[in-house]
Amino acid sequence: MKCEHCTRKECSKKTKTDDQESLSADAPSPAQENGEKGEFHKLADAKIFLSDCLACDSCVTAEEGVQLSQQNAKDFFRVLNLNKKCDTSKHKVLVVSVCPQSLPYFAAKFNLSVTEASRRLCGFLKSLGVHYVFDTTIAADFSILESQKEFVRRYRQHSEEERTLPMLTSACPGWVRYAERVLGRPITAHLCTAKSPQQVMGSLVKDYFARQQNLSPEKIFHVIVAPCYDKKLEALQEGSLPTLHGSRGTDCVLTSGEIAQIMEQGDLSVKDAAIDTLFGDLKEDKVTRHDGASSDGHLAHIFRHAAKELFNEDVEEVTYRALRNKDFQEVTLEKNGEVVLRFAVAYGFRNIQNMILKLKKGKFPYHFVEVLACAGGCLNGRGQAQTPEGHADKALLRQMEGIYADIPVRRPESSAHVQGLYQEWLEGINSPKAREVLHTTYQSQERGAHSLDIKW
């Protein structure tokens, strides 16, 4: 069976079947062990369904399919239960990192404020046996700061001979996988080389935090809670740094919906707890986000930085103008009557396809594009805010958008912790180690013209 958008004759993705498989006998859940009424054994196995997967064109290989089957609650509970055994040599330090776009979902679903939701989620996870719960906003700080510097460099280097623009964001794994496996070069040359927040968080947990705790990377089991299924695929692709000794930065990804299902079948009358930080006993006293309506806000932050760095213009309010639809908007900076910066957001594959067609024809006027595979952005990820029939829960999504908009915005430049990590962990802002840890490379396979023939 293949996706309706696929150009291949075969598709290796799984269909939406066996959605209620039970947890295996060798990995019983805490509820099963304790005989609680709200059992966890009805949780579904992780699969990438045709309706969920955004990186199409037979991108899931047979080997990856096997690995994806482990990206679920079974693996999570396997480690929790392993930690209850007597053989302490096999115990793991269980770390969960939560994406900021997941918190509004928990807040809306359980009728809480976003701060209450973060504390309730943290308290619940720790009641299961999780040792640390982190917020990935600090990882997004690094991703945005590195993207800012790269855009300024590309803008200055761009010429007819060396077309380094537009720069296309690389924070969305569905989009990046599509670019690599379907579009190939020259599109991948336009991808920003800064790693995604999930990839950076993996290094922060398995390298910096591990060393602070005097742990080897393989002694930590790192789980990411994210709004979309493509994060599961991203975890499989994460390359291992020499400092991680062969360990992946992220061991398992659970969607917000999967965690909510665990919470609904568990005991929610747990003691709330503040989110941990990477810095000893210090706790996160409040929830913050970056300046994006439904994402980490790469466009707004990079636009402000570029306006100041390239044209000495201070931009406080970033004004978006909708063009084709609400998921394709542009932002411009004018100087002396001339547009000197033209940025855009392109969410959803219909807008992405139009962008690629124009880029191939040389008729794309933008310097920078924030690209996300999900229409509506990260809040609308297929791993949360879905009805039982698998459609977007529009009422819940509107509530989530309001909650997210009310979260205080933090500029990445303002984080003293990030500046300290550049020096203490990465040996300087522009050091070789910073380049190795915070940047990546992409596959450069050549693809035929059929890659652009998909009708969205």
Side-chain angles (χ1 to χ4, degrees), residues 289-302:
R289 66 175 177 90
H290 293 112
D291 194 3
S294 60
S295 69
D296 281 319
H298 281 69
L299 183 146
H301 292 290
I302 295 172

Side-chain angles (χ1 to χ4, degrees), residues 353-366:
Q353 190 67 8
N354 287 324
M355 175 190 76
I356 296 301
L357 289 170
K358 290 181 180 179
L359 184 58
K360 289 279 191 177
K361 293 177 180 178
K363 297 180 179 180
F364 195 68
Y366 296 97

Side-chain angles (χ1 to χ4, degrees), residues 87-299:
D87 188 355
T88 57
S89 65
K90 295 182 179 180
H91 287 192
K92 300 272 190 178
V93 174
L94 220 165
V95 176
V96 174
S97 298
V98 183
C99 296
Q101 292 80 25
S102 291
L103 289 178
Y105 170 70
F106 294 111
K109 187 169 184 63
F110 298 112
N111 196 28
L112 301 167
S113 71
V114 73
T115 299
E116 290 171 338
S118 72
R119 295 179 64 87
R120 183 67 49 82
L121 175 63
C122 183
F124 177 78
L125 290 171
K126 289 192 172 183
S127 75
L128 294 179
V130 172
H131 298 96
Y132 299 95
V133 180
F134 298 134
D135 181 349
T136 66
T137 301
I138 191 170
D141 285 336
F142 281 105
S143 181
I144 291 169
L145 290 171
E146 292 299 306
S147 299
Q148 288 178 172
K149 291 185 293 183
E150 182 171 340
F151 176 78
V152 169
R153 176 181 58 78
R154 283 177 179 253
Y155 189 95
R156 288 171 172 161
Q157 292 178 350
H158 182 74
S159 65
E160 288 296 324
E161 294 75 28
E162 186 180 2
R163 293 186 172 274
T164 57
L165 298 176
M167 187 174 89
L168 310 175
T169 54
S170 55
C172 172
W175 150 242
V176 170
R177 197 172 182 88
Y178 174 69
E180 286 185 304
R181 296 209 174 184
V182 180
L183 303 174
R185 295 193 63 87
I187 301 302
T188 52
H190 290 278
L191 287 175
C192 177
T193 66
K195 286 185 177 179
S196 71
Q198 176 171 306
Q199 292 171 317
V200 175
M201 197 68 199
S203 294
L204 279 166
V205 169
K206 290 290 190 84
D207 184 15
Y208 174 77
F209 181 72
R211 286 193 281 127
Q212 298 304 305
Q213 301 294 318
N214 293 315
L215 296 168
S216 62
E218 57 269 21
K219 289 294 290 184
I220 296 177
F221 189 83
H222 183 210
V223 179
I224 292 280
V225 177
C228 79
Y229 288 90
D230 283 329
K231 296 290 187 181
K232 295 176 184 281
L233 289 168
E234 182 178 28
L236 300 182
Q237 284 190 304
E238 289 180 19
S240 175
L241 293 167
T243 53
L244 301 189
H245 306 292
S247 174
R248 278 206 308 259
T250 301
D251 297 293
C252 179
V253 174
L254 297 177
T255 66
S256 316
E258 287 173 308
I259 291 292
Q261 188 181 3
I262 296 172
M263 294 177 74
E264 288 174 329
Q265 297 183 18
D267 181 9
L268 289 178
S269 61
V270 297
K271 183 180 179 180
D272 291 352
I275 297 287
D276 300 299
T277 72
L278 298 163
F279 313 101
D281 295 330
L282 188 65
K283 302 293 183 181
E284 292 281 5
D285 55 351
K286 63 179 181 179
V287 176
T288 59
R289 66 175 177 90
H290 293 112
D291 194 3
S294 60
S295 69
D296 281 319
H298 281 69
L299 183 146

